Amino acid sequence: MSDKNNNMTTENQNIVTEAQETVNTEAVETANADAFNLEDEALSKLEGVEDVEEKAAGPEKAPAGEKTSVKKTKKSKKKEEEEEEVYHKPLIKRRKPNRSIAGDIFLYLFLLIVAIIMFFPIIYAVESALKPLDELFKFPPRIFAQNPTLDNFSDLFVTLGKSWVSFSRYMFNTVFITGVGTAGHLIVASMAAFVLAKYDFPGGKTFFKLVTVAMMFTGYVTGIPNYIIMSKLHMIDTYWAIIIPAFAFPMGLFLMKQFMEGLPTSLIEAAKIDGATEWTVFSKIVMPNVKPAWLTLIIFSVQSLWNNKASTVIYSEEMKTLPFAMQQIQAGGIARTGEAAAVLVVLMIVPIAIFIFSESQILETMASSGLKD
Amino acid sequence: MSQFLKDYVKVKKHNFRVGVKRARLSKACYLFLAPYAVIFTMFYILPVVVSIVFGFTYYNILEAPRFVGLQNYVSLFLEDDIFLMAIKNTFMIAIITGPIGYLGSFLFAWLINELPRWVRSVAVVVFYAPSIAGNCYVIFSVFFRGDAYGYVNAFLMNAGIIDTPILWFIDPRYMLPVCMLVILWMSLGAGFLSFVAGLQGIDKSQYEAGYMDGVKNRWQELWFITLPNMKPMLMFGAVMSITQAFSVCEVTMTLCGYPSTDYAARTIVTHLFDYGFSRFEMGYACSIATILFLIMILCNKAIQSMLSRVGT
């Protein structure tokens, strides 16, 4: 076999180099690449060449001879470099055998372009908030600020400081609504989710079905009747008009229940045998075990409450929320372009930050989010 | 027959008694459920009932509601031209952005799935950020500004495609398409997260088995292995995107104004707001809400029965 190796023509080597990518990922990945010496490496490649040719051809399906002669000139230049690269771990592992390289490249390029387009407005918003006034109206526009400044933010505080209700009050309103609403939602929804997931009692299944139906229509449908109901309860123009309905946000219960179903029932039974009451089981056993789901509930609840303008149920100016005040600033037009951009940043930074910090837990919860029919 | 009926009643009675007994034994369950159930009934179930009931009345908050039968619905469909326009716009938006947003969510989740771990987390943030970025979509009014300094106008004029700036948010011809663009930008929401998580959870050995059984390329793998595994998530995503697609109003109201020129960007929800909170014709608004409710529920049921056939 070693003789064969020495007699290997350049053409053969070209096949090898071309096949390297595939070999790298399939054969070498499993057998530790660094452990091989050069000869063994080439040997394993040679053995793989025939199989690899078939696979690497992928979409083109060109016969082996033709292909190598075409790419010979190109490949021979880079040959030495690539041979060195054999010993590096590939940057992107190819986990799947049935993938064509052309398809991979095309799809990831597409993904990259779309990602840039998706993120561009957000980058642009952040950058406009950092631009000084003269750069905001520069033409042709630049995406990135040349002299980033925080003037827009300080202007924002000045503008809001001059308003009838102070900025801190708007801020307090929104933080209060978001905080209390989210905390209450977490507790109330988890309690309901716990019994719905772990106990079989009359009416439980029907109730859960109702909740899934409630996910199918938005708050807008119930907006008007809600207003009528709240006015009968004298809740209009108080914080509770926003906070209390947020407690029963259907998606939170749904996600929590689906996630709790994954908890082993034996855990609860064991606690029961040890003499725990339902409440102890819930607070000491179940809740600490579903922390990923907490974060998911928090992100969805914060997202809807933080951006809540609440303009239909709260009329007193001193109880209005931050987004409402922000809307007034944005209505200021061209002169307030910079401040408006600062507003956008202030409003979006909180939900995005929470999401970034809790992404893995949220994804863990969402894995059980499926809706079974 | 009478024997059958007797037995039937007997079984039912027995079941009922067992039910009551079990209910009595699971008092704690009801206690746990109670806070949620009360609030949920109060603000999610009762409003639907109220809206159906008030849909048949004339009610302006000050006077007691007066029963008018089907009058509201008749005038909605026969006299209210703006409502018909709103329905047309809403369906246009829903039919175009709903499916594209849904398929887009799945496509991107699926593409992201094969990336290395850290790239994947960054990609999820990038794609999900627009939908949680609050009213960041307002930035589109800068891109699509109506004068020659708006970026899109400037670009099109420099390229020689148009010679006068287009009033994107004032000209009725361009309002809806631009709004749809913005809505699409924001459409990778909870459904997308569910897809990403669901794809991660698929048993890897199924792919290996599929490879042994002759799955040749990624598309076959998608259809025969991935999609059937993802069915529950696909359902969840569908519910999310249908609900979203039919409740468009913030984007159109912020970008095109309220009311928009010639009502060209009016949606059902905008119409609902107009009658409910500007004119205080609660009865009429409730009938609009009922129609929206029916549209959403029916669409969801239809799509769910369609999705249950995926991958078979």
Side-chain angles (χ1 to χ4, degrees):
Chain A
M1 283 298 269
S2 61
D3 289 345
K4 225 183 194 176
N5 220 348
N6 294 333
N7 294 336
M8 201 160 60
T9 59
T10 44
E11 200 173 301
N12 257 342
Q13 275 200 350
N14 280 329
I15 299 175
V16 169
T17 44
E18 197 190 314
Q20 263 173 15
E21 283 180 10
T22 336
V23 173
N24 254 348
T25 49
E26 283 172 1
V28 182
E29 193 188 304
T30 44
N32 193 354
D34 301 69
F36 281 92
N37 60 35
L38 187 65
E39 272 187 17
D40 283 1
E41 179 75 38
L43 218 164
S44 70
K45 267 184 266 163
L46 247 191
E47 284 171 358
V49 162
E50 275 179 23
D51 304 351
V52 162
E53 256 316 305
E54 282 171 20
K55 283 174 203 162
E60 296 162 2
K61 289 280 178 201
E66 226 180 277
K67 210 174 164 186
T68 45
S69 61
V70 172
K71 298 193 175 174
K72 195 175 175 180
T73 46
K74 265 189 193 173
K75 287 284 173 181
S76 56
K77 286 176 197 168
K78 292 182 179 176
K79 196 181 72 185
E80 285 181 14
E81 291 170 20
E82 278 184 39
E83 219 149 39
E84 275 178 21
E85 273 175 19
V86 168
Y87 299 99
H88 295 302
K89 216 178 161 190
L91 185 66
I92 295 175
K93 281 189 209 163
R94 295 190 59 216
R95 295 179 300 148
K96 307 282 177 62
N98 49 1
R99 291 285 190 270
S100 64
I101 294 170
D104 268 354
I105 292 170
F106 171 74
L107 286 175
Y108 290 138
L109 212 64
F110 170 69
L111 192 65
L112 187 72
I113 291 167
V114 176
I116 291 171
I117 294 172
M118 291 290 279
F119 212 54
F120 176 71
I122 291 179
I123 294 284
Y124 184 82
V126 174
E127 285 297 329
S128 341
L130 296 176
K131 280 179 190 169
L133 198 62
D134 56 327
E135 272 183 54
L136 273 172
F137 298 103
K138 201 177 252 180
F139 198 86
R142 284 176 183 272
I143 296 163
F144 294 104
Q146 273 126 349
N147 310 305
T149 123
L150 291 175
D151 281 355
N152 288 320
F153 290 94
S154 55
D155 283 356
L156 177 65
F157 290 115
V158 171
T159 315
L160 281 167
K162 278 188 296 192
S163 64
W164 180 42
V165 176
S166 70
F167 176 75
S168 50
R169 182 66 201 252
Y170 286 123
M171 194 77 194
F172 168 79
N173 291 341
T174 292
V175 170
F176 180 78
I177 288 175
T178 309
V180 176
T182 304
H185 171 58
L186 186 58
I187 296 166
V188 169
S190 311
M191 275 166 64
F194 166 55
V195 285
L196 287 178
K198 284 296 163 202
Y199 293 91
D200 183 26
F201 59 97
K205 293 225 165 57
T206 323
F207 186 80
F208 186 66
K209 252 183 206 146
L210 267 179
V211 175
T212 29
V213 171
M215 286 207 310
M216 293 178 191
F217 55 85
T218 42
Y220 298 120
V221 171
T222 53
I224 306 279
N226 253 343
Y227 180 86
I228 299 174
I229 292 169
M230 282 176 195
S231 68
K232 294 270 183 269
L233 295 171
H234 303 290
M235 272 167 55
I236 292 293
D237 210 12
T238 61
Y239 294 129
W240 306 112
I242 314 236
I243 292 174
I244 303 270
F247 284 176
F249 187 46
M251 196 156 84
L253 173 76
F254 175 78
L255 291 175
M256 196 51 128
K257 189 239 173 193
Q258 299 294 75
F259 192 72
M260 279 179 174
E261 275 186 346
L263 274 184
T265 313
S266 54
L267 205 67
I268 294 163
E269 279 163 2
K272 276 271 187 63
I273 289 165
D274 288 348
T277 59
E278 248 90 7
W279 178 256
T280 328
V281 172
F282 171 69
S283 59
K284 295 266 166 63
I285 312 272
V286 175
M287 283 310 265
N289 274 308
V290 293
K291 273 192 187 137
W294 292 24
L295 287 163
T296 315
L297 257 68
I298 288 172
I299 183 90
F300 285 122
S301 175
V302 166
Q303 185 192 331
S304 70
L305 289 172
W306 184 261
N307 292 315
N308 202 325
K309 287 198 190 73
S311 51
T312 51
V313 283
I314 291 184
Y315 296 118
S316 316
E317 190 63 34
E318 68 269 19
M319 283 206 233
K320 292 231 156 133
T321 55
L322 198 56
F324 185 83
M326 298 297 186
Q327 207 182 18
Q328 305 301 311
I329 289 174
Q330 280 163 356
I334 292 281
R336 285 190 179 155
T337 310
E339 277 176 55
V343 164
L344 292 182
V345 173
V346 169
L347 281 181
M348 75 182 170
I349 207 90
V350 171
I352 291 184
I354 297 181
F355 180 72
I356 288 174
F357 286 121
S358 51
E359 188 190 330
S360 58
Q361 279 101 329
I362 289 174
L363 287 180
E364 198 181 318
T365 319
M366 295 305 280
S368 57
S369 68
L371 197 61
K372 285 145 205 136
D373 45 355
Chain B
M1 190 63 201
S2 67
Q3 186 57 38
F4 173 77
L5 263 179
K6 248 182 210 166
D7 284 353
Y8 181 78
V9 170
K10 216 177 190 177
V11 168
K12 279 283 153 190
K13 257 187 186 169
H14 177 75
N15 283 350
F16 181 73
R17 240 178 260 138
V18 170
V20 169
K21 203 163 194 183
R22 274 174 56 208
R24 225 176 259 155
L25 284 174
S26 45
K27 253 182 213 154
C29 291
Y30 292 107
L31 279 178
F32 269 84
L33 194 59
Y36 187 89
V38 169
I39 299 170
F40 179 75
T41 317
M42 204 72 178
F43 296 106
Y44 289 87
I45 302 293
L46 193 60
V48 173
V49 179
V50 167
S51 117
I52 291 170
V53 171
F54 277 119
F56 295 111
T57 63
Y58 174 83
Y59 181 42
N60 57 7
I61 295 202
L62 296 174
E63 300 167 70
R66 176 162 48 86
F67 183 75
V68 290
L70 284 171
Q71 185 57 46
N72 283 334
Y73 294 96
V74 171
S75 43
L76 263 180
F77 284 107
L78 297 182
E79 290 159 27
D80 196 342
D81 292 341
I82 301 169
F83 178 67
L84 295 181
M85 194 125 156
I87 287 216
K88 196 196 84 191
N89 287 340
T90 308
F91 269 92
M92 283 269 282
I93 293 174
I95 285 169
I96 293 174
T97 65
I100 295 181
Y102 181 63
L103 294 178
S105 301
F106 185 79
L107 180 71
F108 294 128
W110 180 60
L111 287 178
I112 283 172
N113 186 43
E114 294 186 4
L115 293 172
R117 198 181 159 79
W118 61 273
V119 185
R120 194 171 63 226
S121 351
V122 173
V124 170
V125 173
V126 166
F127 283 110
Y128 186 59
S131 69
I132 49 168
N135 53 356
C136 190
Y137 58 81
V138 179
I139 211 74
F140 278 90
S141 65
V142 177
F143 299 152
F144 285 97
R145 204 154 51 191
D147 51 29
Y149 294 102
Y151 298 161
V152 176
N153 272 338
F155 175 76
L156 289 178
M157 282 168 81
N158 286 342
I161 296 169
I162 53 170
D163 43 12
T164 47
I166 293 174
L167 296 164
W168 295 103
F169 293 119
I170 299 174
D171 192 330
R173 276 176 300 167
Y174 299 107
M175 272 181 199
L176 276 189
V178 176
C179 285
M180 284 177 197
L181 204 70
V182 177
I183 293 162
L184 275 181
W185 177 68
M186 295 169 60
S187 61
L188 300 186
F192 171 70
L193 283 189
S194 172
F195 293 156
V196 172
L199 285 166
Q200 287 295 306
I202 296 176
D203 190 359
K204 296 283 182 294
S205 58
Q206 288 194 20
Y207 290 113
E208 280 155 31
Y211 178 52
M212 298 311 282
D213 287 348
V215 169
K216 281 195 198 64
N217 52 41
R218 69 185 85 217
W219 308 107
Q220 283 183 352
E221 192 182 280
L222 176 69
W223 184 253
F224 290 114
I225 303 174
T226 311
L227 280 181
N229 269 305
M230 288 286 289
K231 217 185 265 177
M233 283 81 188
L234 288 175
M235 293 270 189
F236 178 77
V239 170
M240 291 293 120
S241 56
I242 292 167
T243 317
Q244 230 174 24
F246 279 106
S247 57
V248 169
C249 74
E250 297 243 323
V251 173
T252 58
M253 275 160 85
T254 317
L255 292 181
C256 303
Y258 169 64
S260 46
T261 320
D262 289 349
Y263 299 107
R266 177 160 285 221
T267 63
I268 297 181
V269 180
T270 322
H271 205 61
L272 178 79
F273 274 15
D274 190 5
Y275 277 92
F277 295 115
S278 306
R279 310 185 195 202
F280 286 100
E281 290 191 24
M282 292 301 189
Y284 199 69
C286 281
S287 61
I288 299 174
T290 310
I291 288 171
L292 185 61
F293 170 76
L294 287 178
I295 290 175
M296 280 180 173
I297 297 287
L298 289 180
C299 267
N300 267 304
K301 291 288 169 206
I303 298 287
Q304 284 195 352
S305 65
M306 252 168 68
L307 275 179
S308 58
R309 280 185 230 137
V310 160
T312 48

